[in-house]
Amino acid sequence: MCVMENLIQPRILKGFRDFLPESEITRSNLIEKITKVYRSYGYVPIDTPVLEYTDILLRKSNGETEKQVFRFEDNGGRDVAMRFDLTVPFARFTAEHFSELYMPFKRYHIAKVWRGEKPQAGRYREFVQCDIDTVGSDSATCDFEILSVLKAALDEIVGKSENGKKKFVIKVNHRGLINLFFKNLGVEDKIDEILPVLDAIKKVPEDVTKTKLTEIFDVSSSKASDTASCYAKTMEFIGNDGTVAFLDLIDRNEKLAGEGASVYCDRLREIYKMMQVSGIETSFEFDPLIMRGLDYYTGIVFETTLFDDNGDEVKIGSVCSGGRYDNLTGLYMKEKVSGVGGSIGLDRLIAGLEMLGKLEKKGSYLDVEIFNQNGEDVVAYHKVAAELRSLGIAVEVFPEPKKMNQQYKVTEAKAVKWGVLMNAEDISKGTFTLKNLQTREQFVGVNAAAAAELIKK
């Protein structure tokens, strides 16, 4: 039998990916930036298992989520599933370790999650979420801080506004206000059907939206006797042409939502005041169309839109979203624990940066490659490498004395900026030639200290 017949074809599942060094370096660098910002606001890291009992993950989710979860029976006959986000496992974590945690508790968790949804641009079945959450307080301060820290992280990655042009906008709404509006409209029992239609309103023709909503209103509560009126009021409630100011839109929707709306609108006004005194209010908009489909949200909800240099929206979807979930832990414990959180979708953010042409790509973390011109001098090469590392320079020695054009080719593939060349005379003097591999400029007869200064400029 031919050996070739026994070989297994290397392949991966649809919606999953391998990452070559250039891509993984990009991901790692972005995670480092996000982590630094999260830590600067006082968030601490935790971790949870990839697998959870299925009833833990799905007790507070809608039917669509159940369809997307990777679920199976393990060898012990247990019904288990892979986490589809980091929020529900965090709720379980909080309940299980409640006596060990101080309140309010602020955590960040950057890890992979899995959803069996249809792969598309910026959306995969295995992806990384960069979460932050605060539990144990229902304060508007916590709502504001989540928005503020995510804004700061995006500033570091996408960039701040320049010449009045926004690089991104975080769009804010309140699920309490949304729920109250439909309750007072008489269609509270159909809200789980209404929200997906409104969420897709920009993706389908107006007549399709009208038909779907009319059908929902027709068979809903008896209070919704006037279907046309329900549709007209809904369109007015979600209306936003971008010209109405944040606070003015809140005032309008407070009136439209009806009795009981002030408590939600006052919370939004308080958050906005904090944005103003912090000088970050221009990065936020009040958008009545932000719904967030997961039904555990009860307070503020938000999504993020990227813009290109022309001010046009990048068609990638939200790269950062979240909201308040006042009693998610109520599924697992008697004590009510308020929470608010948000997440940067790393893979979608990378896809957006690629579309914007703002993705910095590197083939390695090296500053310097010491070329191997003579295999007998390898000890001298490592001496220089150690000296450069002690000065904070990332360096490696090319392992074999291959032809120089081969060494240059490998070094170029790793995007190393500097090269070190040493002949016998250099070694005897304790010096070497430092070459800028991009400009071809050479500095002859330098030592490690001088080379480090040039590299760090």
Side-chain angles (χ1 to χ4, degrees):
M1 181 182 292
C2 177
V3 175
M4 292 294 291
E5 293 180 2
N6 294 325
L7 293 179
I8 299 173
Q9 181 183 356
R11 63 199 189 279
I12 58 176
L13 294 166
K14 186 178 181 181
F16 294 77
R17 298 165 293 165
D18 288 326
F19 293 93
L20 293 172
E22 185 177 88
S23 297
E24 189 59 20
I25 287 171
T26 295
R27 283 155 52 94
S28 297
N29 287 345
L30 290 176
I31 288 173
E32 286 178 13
K33 289 180 179 180
I34 293 168
T35 300
K36 184 177 180 180
V37 174
Y38 286 1
R39 290 175 177 173
S40 73
Y41 278 72
Y43 294 86
V44 294
I46 68 162
D47 197 11
T48 62
V50 169
L51 290 179
E52 299 269 7
Y53 285 104
T54 301
D55 64 329
I56 293 289
L57 293 180
L58 296 183
R59 279 188 64 193
K60 192 67 172 176
S61 64
N62 54 34
E64 288 303 310
T65 300
E66 293 187 30
K67 295 175 185 177
Q68 295 174 5
V69 168
F70 286 101
R71 177 180 182 179
F72 57 93
E73 183 178 292
D74 70 6
N75 292 338
R78 289 170 288 264
D79 185 6
V80 299
M82 300 173 74
R83 63 190 181 204
F84 62 88
D85 72 2
L86 299 175
T87 303
V88 177
F90 177 52
R92 190 270 309 153
F93 172 95
T94 302
E96 195 159 358
H97 300 281
F98 188 68
S99 63
E100 304 167 62
L101 302 176
Y102 49 82
M103 292 292 162
F105 178 66
K106 297 163 59 172
R107 80 82 156 100
Y108 74 85
H109 190 187
I110 299 176
K112 287 184 176 181
V113 298
W114 293 265
R115 294 181 189 174
E117 56 189 355
K118 183 178 179 181
Q120 53 185 286
R123 180 175 291 180
Y124 306 93
R125 289 175 172 169
E126 178 184 65
F127 53 98
V128 174
Q129 287 189 329
C130 308
D131 277 28
I132 49 169
D133 289 86
T134 300
V135 294
S137 174
D138 186 27
S139 170
T141 294
C142 296
D143 293 345
F144 164 72
E145 188 177 72
I146 289 289
L147 295 169
S148 179
V149 67
L150 291 171
K151 189 264 184 191
L154 292 173
D155 279 344
E156 287 293 316
I157 296 168
V158 183
K160 298 181 180 180
S161 299
E162 294 179 357
N163 302 319
K165 291 185 177 180
K166 298 178 181 179
K167 305 293 181 66
F168 64 90
V169 168
I170 300 177
K171 299 180 177 182
V172 184
N173 199 2
H174 199 295
R175 273 297 292 268
L177 190 63
I178 298 167
N179 294 342
L180 180 67
F181 170 77
F182 287 113
K183 177 182 178 181
N184 288 340
L185 199 62
V187 292
E188 180 183 13
D189 57 328
K190 294 295 179 180
I191 192 167
D192 288 342
E193 297 177 42
I194 296 169
L195 295 188
V197 177
L198 296 179
D199 191 48
I201 199 167
K202 294 181 180 180
K203 304 173 185 177
V204 299
E206 183 179 345
D207 61 330
V208 173
T209 299
K210 186 173 183 178
T211 298
K212 289 183 176 180
L213 287 179
T214 299
E215 290 175 354
I216 294 170
F217 295 149
D218 273 343
V219 297
S220 191
S221 168
S222 59
K223 292 183 182 179
S225 56
D226 187 344
T227 299
S229 176
C230 282
Y231 176 76
K233 288 178 180 178
T234 299
M235 291 299 101
E236 185 179 4
F237 184 79
I238 65 171
N240 179 20
D241 62 5
T243 63
V244 184
F246 193 110
L247 295 178
D248 291 338
L249 269 176
I250 292 174
D251 291 344
R252 183 201 72 183
N253 277 23
E254 180 177 7
K255 295 176 182 177
L256 291 172
E259 184 179 355
S262 61
V263 64
Y264 308 124
C265 293
D266 286 346
R267 169 61 68 97
L268 289 167
R269 294 184 184 104
E270 186 176 1
I271 293 170
Y272 190 70
K273 287 179 182 178
M274 295 178 193
M275 294 175 183
Q276 287 180 308
V277 298
S278 301
I280 62 174
E281 75 276 9
T282 57
S283 294
F284 298 88
E285 292 179 3
F286 177 73
D287 189 342
L289 260 179
I290 301 302
M291 304 289 175
R292 302 303 298 153
L294 293 173
D295 63 356
Y296 55 64
Y297 289 117
T298 58
I300 65 159
V301 285
F302 58 89
E303 295 182 357
T304 306
T305 300
L306 297 180
F307 296 98
D308 62 22
D309 292 337
N310 297 320
D312 296 324
E313 181 179 335
V314 178
K315 302 299 182 182
I316 195 66
S318 177
V319 299
C320 172
S321 55
R324 174 165 286 281
Y325 44 92
D326 268 348
N327 197 25
L328 187 63
T329 53
L331 295 169
Y332 317 113
M333 60 189 293
K334 293 180 180 179
E335 292 87 348
K336 181 178 180 180
V337 181
S338 296
V340 60
S343 179
I344 295 175
L346 185 69
D347 301 275
R348 188 176 291 187
L349 176 60
I350 289 173
L353 293 173
E354 284 180 329
M355 294 172 70
L356 290 168
K358 296 181 179 180
L359 201 61
E360 181 183 2
K361 295 186 177 181
K362 295 178 64 177
S364 74
Y365 289 106
L366 291 170
D367 299 310
V368 175
E369 185 81 27
I370 297 178
F371 294 110
N372 194 330
Q373 296 172 271
N374 186 337
E376 296 179 359
D377 294 331
V378 69
V379 172
Y381 300 152
H382 282 289
K383 180 177 184 295
V384 171
E387 291 172 348
L388 288 170
R389 289 192 191 104
S390 71
L391 296 167
I393 304 300
V395 56
E396 74 172 8
V397 175
F398 201 93
E400 300 174 67
K402 292 185 176 181
K403 293 181 180 180
M404 287 306 296
N405 65 335
Q406 291 178 296
Q407 294 189 47
Y408 277 122
K409 185 176 181 180
V410 173
T411 303
E412 183 180 1
K414 291 186 284 190
V416 183
K417 184 178 179 179
W418 298 92
V420 165
L421 299 161
M422 283 187 286
N423 55 32
E425 184 179 352
D426 290 322
I427 293 171
S428 66
K429 293 180 179 179
T431 62
F432 52 84
T433 296
L434 181 68
K435 183 176 182 179
N436 187 316
L437 301 176
Q438 296 175 353
T439 66
R440 307 301 181 189
E441 184 179 9
Q442 296 191 153
F443 302 88
V444 180
V446 299
N447 58 21
E453 286 189 20
L454 290 166
I455 293 167
K456 290 178 180 180
K457 281 186 178 179

